[in-house]
Amino acid sequence: MMTSTMLSTLHAVWGQSSGETLVFPTQGSDFAPAIDWLFYAITAISAFFFAIIVGVMVYFVLRYRRRPGHDAQPSASHNTPLEIAWSVLPGFILLAIFAAGFLIFLDLRRVPEGAYEIKVTARKWSWAFEYPNGLVMEDLHVPADRPVRLLMSSMDVIHSLFVPAFRVKQDLVPGRYTEMWFRATGAGTHRLYCAEYCGQKHSTMVANVVVHEPADFEQWLRIETDKTNNLPPAELGALLYKRQGCAQCHAIDDNVQGKAGPSFAKTFGTQQRLTNGESVTIEENYLRRSILEPLAQIRAGFQPVMPTYQGRLRDNEIDALIAYIKSLNPEATPKE
Amino acid sequence: MSESHLSTATAHVHGHGEEDYLSCSSGWKSWAFTLDHKRIGVMYLVAILASFLAGGIMALLIRLELLLPGKFFLSEDQYNHMFTLHGAIMTFLFLIPSIPAALGNFMVPVMLGVKDVAFPRMNLASFYLWIGGAIFFLAAVILGGLDTGWTFYTPYSTTTNTSVITASLGVFILGFSSIFTGLNFLVTINMMRPAGMTWFRMPLFLWSLYATSIIQILATPVIGITGLLLIAERALGIGIFDPARGGDPVLFQHFFWFYSHPAVYIMILPAMGIISEMVSTFSRKPIFGYRFIAYSSIAIALLGFLVWGHHMFVSGQSPLAAMMFSALTFSVSIPSAIKVFNWLSTMYKGSVSLETPMCYTLSFIFLFGIGGLTGLFLGALATDVHLHDTYFVVAHFHYVMMGGTLIAFLGGLHYWWPKMFGKMYNENLARIACLIIFVGFNATFFPQFILGSRGMPRRYAKYDPEFQIFHQFSTFGALLLGAGLFLSAGVLLHSLLRGRRAPANPWGGSTLEWKCSSPPPHHNFDWPPVVTEPYHYDHIQYDPKEGGYVEVEEVAPDPDDAPLPVKH
Ligand code: HEM
Ligand SMILES: [Cu+2]
């Protein structure tokens, strides 16, 4: 067990597949080679100067160390041409680094015409990726070899979408849209992180990026879409529970460890106390209201952290979620 | 140098006979209401070291939690509180006041050869404001903690239910403390330089504090007002930052970094000043390129105001703004590079002795070198997009702030310790501690560069298992680092009890603080010391009787040992 994790880590660290090196994960987009190249170039320049600095330092310490019979020897206390030289010459190197960084950055910012567009919504603490046909997924699925533009916004605080394999990152700011783009190279699965601290479960605001071969992508999209259209309500609810990020905060069993909200298991039809001291029966109207106006009634023992789903779920989807939650308590006898 | 000079040497030390500042009066009131800059400096020293201990213990807890990818012993909430407090305490309570308020307070008037700072009461007020700010921080911890990160980004900070208001008030008050210190030094250095001490005869530590003071006075009000706006937003619901009320959350980041970027120079400039002093003393060589070092401090202070946007390259900033900020960021790295070259040249043909402060100096050049060079990766736009908000940034700023400021602070502490407390510490143990700190530091933070470039985001309570090996390495490094710090604390404390009496000038320093006795008398000097060029060492010779260095009459130099004609 131990050794196998060790081995897989070592493999991950040293494996040379698809551009992965000790310092970088797989090169998953066509930005990656350019950015890695710049990184290595800066590393080489830095290492060169660092070696000189440390080398000279060590040499001077050894050569001029205080010892019997050795004392400081006079030497110039300044040397203007030399000092101007070492102030100005590094400037040219810095200018080159700056220019390279800026030019690559312009590519990162210039979205090509006709890019495939996916809408991204971030909320504490999950991602929603919405396809042109209305399908919403909790993981990002993209076609390979085709520019993809993400049109992004946040429902609560600032988040940041970061795909290390693509070497791209962009903040999602509430109240405005931001965008980013990339072209994935080759099928595979990568990690997608929230890089801007966003509260309690920031470190679990993680999703996968699944890159499909261009030919398979349309098929994948059709299958997923059909699924949602033809499912019975409770099963659609189960799907939405995962895709809409409910699962981040609500358990569906008794294992509520690390969950910010109450579990859905065996709650429908029960009486629950609220933070304001009142109590409430968990029935359809309460559930609907909790989804659309989550801060109106907070159950005792929980924080008011849930984002609203107003405008994010269609009526039939809300119905489906309610049906699903209902199905999680078989003994439920809805109150009249 | 031949021994014969020494027989004619006369000890030339001011203040012998008068009682020193530690024993001239006693009782807690003589400390609590003191206007003596030295006692205020000592109180500051104790206070910031206590903060450093608190922040350091939090750092160790954070590192221990990260031994495992999942939960070890801290919940996510506890982890978030821990890194927030660690960052806030280290920045606002420790790093910003560390060198100016503790070491600077003690040394500025002594290095100027005067009795006290320009405004002694304001100096004491600065200390009590610091205490006030610290109390607010403590209150924030008790009243529910703080989980915003030390950066307080909106709208998270306007919506979290932790004690943001209390903590912002703490920052506000600490800001005043910092402004008071800055104003005091600015006026003191401007107005109270003694006859003969022209601007370009001033020790470089004073230059660096002068530049620092400018930043403190100009930038700190911005963080104060930003804190008030944040409070207004939370308490009164005014829509400045919260988009739900028509505000702009990114505006907060501009305000915050408009202070906090210059603030990193509040931390590093005094550190560079200390290094300039020590590298010269321990090489027995005039500092090379005095003017370039002095001007570069001012250049850093001014350029430092123009680069704040480099913290916001992926915040939605326009490419034009990103380009300007990136270009300016590179320009501010040049003055830092100049200093490194000058320090190295100072050692050239010197007589380099590796006493503890010099060990810290060498360690500083190494670590600050890495810190500064990794700034280039972050200043370049394309690479920053990938590295921003990852452990690479964490490693970068620890190399500059801990490898830079903390190491220089420790070096300065060891350098001036005999002066401040009149005791010598155990040189060998102190050097070993320095070495352990150096190794532990690199073991802690170097792996974090790799973590970051591999994609590990910062501020993560849990992480993907592939990162574990680097995190574990880093944690073991942190334990070593902690051990080194405790050892150096032990060595210094031990010296207070058992240390050999310190001579006036244990290292052969040439600036004025070495001309009064150790510890200095209450009024620092009985008569104004004669100001000469700083950083001239030929007339300062070791005297075994004294156990330290003394000034000897200028003797006719033998021909191949001629002192360099002074030119500027
Ligand atoms: C050559 C000199 C330097 C350059 C080019 C440089 C560049 C940068 C850049 C571009 C960032 C933003 C990275 C990001 O968030 O993506 C950054 C972060 C930072 N730098 Fe530097 N830097 C330099 C020196 C320093 C020094 C001297 C200090 C302090 C003493 C410092 C302290 C910091 C801090 C505190 C942060 C991050 C703050 C945070 O996000 O919490 N840097 N640096
Ligand atoms: Cu987030």
Side-chain angles (χ1 to χ4, degrees), chain A residues 194-264:
Chain A
C194 176
E196 184 65 65
Y197 173 68
C198 58
Q200 189 192 41
K201 303 183 82 60
H202 169 55
S203 65
T204 49
M205 192 163 160
V206 177
N208 285 320
V209 185
V210 184
V211 183
H212 298 267
E213 291 298 351
D216 305 340
F217 181 74
E218 291 301 328
Q219 196 193 354
W220 165 85
L221 189 63
R222 201 165 49 249
I223 295 173
E224 284 301 322
T225 316
D226 287 349
K227 247 198 239 168
T228 48
N229 290 342
N230 305 332
L231 284 179
E235 283 173 42
L236 175 59
L239 207 61
L240 292 171
Y241 163 77
K242 277 199 297 184
R243 289 193 180 157
Q244 293 288 350
C246 321
Q248 278 285 329
C249 296
H250 298 281
I252 47 172
D253 50 29
D254 297 334
N255 182 11
V256 293
Q257 230 246 321
K259 300 281 183 186
S263 168
F264 291 156

Side-chain angles (χ1 to χ4, degrees), chain B residues 165 226-240 245:
Chain B
I165 295 189
T226 309
L228 290 187
L229 290 176
L230 187 60
I231 293 170
E233 174 128 350
R234 273 186 77 97
L236 311 172
I238 299 172
I240 303 160
R245 299 190 170 100

Side-chain angles (χ1 to χ4, degrees), chain B residues 150 257 264 310-311 333 372 375 378 384 388 396-397 400-401 458:
Chain B
W150 74 281
W257 290 113
V264 306
H310 70 210
H311 298 273
S333 63
L378 301 174
D384 182 66
H388 173 72
H396 160 69
F397 69 71
V400 279
M401 305 205 319
R458 69 194 279 203

Side-chain angles (χ1 to χ4, degrees), chain A:
Chain A
M1 195 20 218
M2 253 316 255
T3 42
S4 74
T5 35
M6 277 282 284
L7 282 178
S8 67
T9 313
L10 282 180
H11 176 79
V13 173
W14 296 107
Q16 296 292 315
S17 58
S18 50
E20 176 173 351
T21 62
L22 172 65
V23 287
F24 280 117
T26 324
Q27 296 184 329
S29 77
D30 51 12
F31 294 136
I35 290 174
D36 294 4
W37 173 85
L38 179 59
F39 183 98
Y40 290 128
I42 303 175
T43 310
I45 295 169
S46 305
F48 176 75
F49 281 101
F50 187 67
I52 292 185
I53 290 171
V54 174
V56 167
M57 183 172 93
V58 170
Y59 175 74
F60 282 178
V61 168
L62 296 178
R63 173 79 178 71
Y64 302 118
R65 73 183 185 285
R66 194 170 299 174
R67 54 187 187 266
H70 169 82
D71 203 358
Q73 303 141 32
S75 66
S77 71
H78 64 277
N79 181 333
T80 310
L82 177 66
E83 289 180 76
I84 290 179
W86 72 36
S87 310
V88 174
L89 294 182
F92 292 106
I93 299 172
L94 295 179
L95 196 67
I97 298 176
F98 157 76
F102 179 55
L103 291 178
I104 302 172
F105 178 75
L106 281 182
D107 286 339
L108 285 162
R109 285 284 175 271
R110 207 183 289 124
V111 187
E113 296 278 322
Y116 185 78
E117 188 165 297
I118 300 171
K119 265 167 76 179
V120 184
T121 308
R123 41 177 146 54
K124 290 184 221 166
W125 290 280
S126 64
W127 302 94
F129 302 98
E130 187 181 337
Y131 290 83
N133 66 3
L135 174 73
V136 176
M137 300 292 295
E138 77 274 21
D139 282 328
L140 175 60
H141 293 256
V142 296
D145 303 328
R146 180 169 173 195
V148 173
R149 171 179 188 246
L150 304 182
L151 182 65
M152 314 196 292
S153 64
S154 163
M155 294 175 64
D156 37 50
V157 300
I158 299 177
H159 302 277
S160 189
L161 192 151
F162 175 32
V163 184
F166 294 172
R167 317 285 192 267
V168 291
K169 181 181 293 120
Q170 175 65 49
D171 287 1
L172 295 87
V173 182
R176 72 175 66 149
Y177 292 110
T178 52
E179 62 168 12
M180 68 193 247
W181 82 279
F182 51 81
R183 184 171 23 229
T185 50
T189 304
H190 311 294
R191 294 297 260 172
L192 181 156
Y193 300 106
C194 176
E196 184 65 65
Y197 173 68
C198 58
Q200 189 192 41
K201 303 183 82 60
H202 169 55
S203 65
T204 49
M205 192 163 160
V206 177
N208 285 320
V209 185
V210 184
V211 183
H212 298 267
E213 291 298 351
D216 305 340
F217 181 74
E218 291 301 328
Q219 196 193 354
W220 165 85
L221 189 63
R222 201 165 49 249
I223 295 173
E224 284 301 322
T225 316
D226 287 349
K227 247 198 239 168
T228 48
N229 290 342
N230 305 332
L231 284 179
E235 283 173 42
L236 175 59
L239 207 61
L240 292 171
Y241 163 77
K242 277 199 297 184
R243 289 193 180 157
Q244 293 288 350
C246 321
Q248 278 285 329
C249 296
H250 298 281
I252 47 172
D253 50 29
D254 297 334
N255 182 11
V256 293
Q257 230 246 321
K259 300 281 183 186
S263 168
F264 291 156
K266 306 200 190 74
T267 45
F268 192 88
T270 59
Q271 289 268 338
Q272 298 291 347
R273 294 206 324 109
L274 299 179
T275 39
N276 63 8
E278 291 168 19
S279 68
V280 70
T281 309
I282 310 290
E283 37 73 64
E284 287 87 347
N285 274 317
Y286 170 80
L287 288 177
R288 187 182 168 84
R289 188 159 185 223
S290 297
I291 294 170
L292 297 178
E293 297 167 52
L295 306 189
Q297 294 170 304
I298 308 284
R299 272 177 56 177
F302 294 95
Q303 302 293 339
V305 291
M306 178 168 159
T308 173
Y309 281 80
Q310 188 103 46
R312 302 220 48 83
L313 292 171
R314 276 167 264 157
D315 261 357
N316 72 314
E317 291 174 329
I318 297 177
D319 293 345
L321 279 165
I322 293 175
Y324 174 58
I325 295 172
K326 212 164 171 178
S327 75
L328 292 173
N329 190 5
E331 298 116 70
T333 43
K335 259 185 62 172
E336 60 282 359

Side-chain angles (χ1 to χ4, degrees), chain B residues 150-151 153 256-257 260-261 263-265 267-269 272 310-313 329-330 332-334 336 368 371-380 384-385 387-390 393-394 396-398 400-401 404-405 458-459:
Chain B
W150 74 281
T151 46
Y153 272 17
F256 180 84
W257 290 113
S260 293
H261 189 81
V264 306
Y265 293 111
M267 304 176 212
I268 200 69
L269 278 173
M272 294 168 154
H310 70 210
H311 298 273
M312 301 167 61
F313 287 150
T329 298
F330 281 105
V332 79
S333 63
I334 291 181
S336 309
F368 182 74
L373 288 167
T374 50
L376 305 182
F377 296 77
L378 301 174
D384 182 66
V385 169
L387 299 171
H388 173 72
D389 268 338
T390 67
V393 174
V394 177
H396 160 69
F397 69 71
H398 280 92
V400 279
M401 305 205 319
T405 308
R458 69 194 279 203
R459 299 178 171 172

Side-chain angles (χ1 to χ4, degrees), chain B residues 208-229:
Chain B
S208 75
L209 285 180
Y210 193 79
T212 307
S213 304
I214 296 175
I215 312 179
Q216 283 177 300
I217 293 170
L218 293 181
T220 316
V222 178
I223 193 77
I225 293 166
T226 309
L228 290 187
L229 290 176

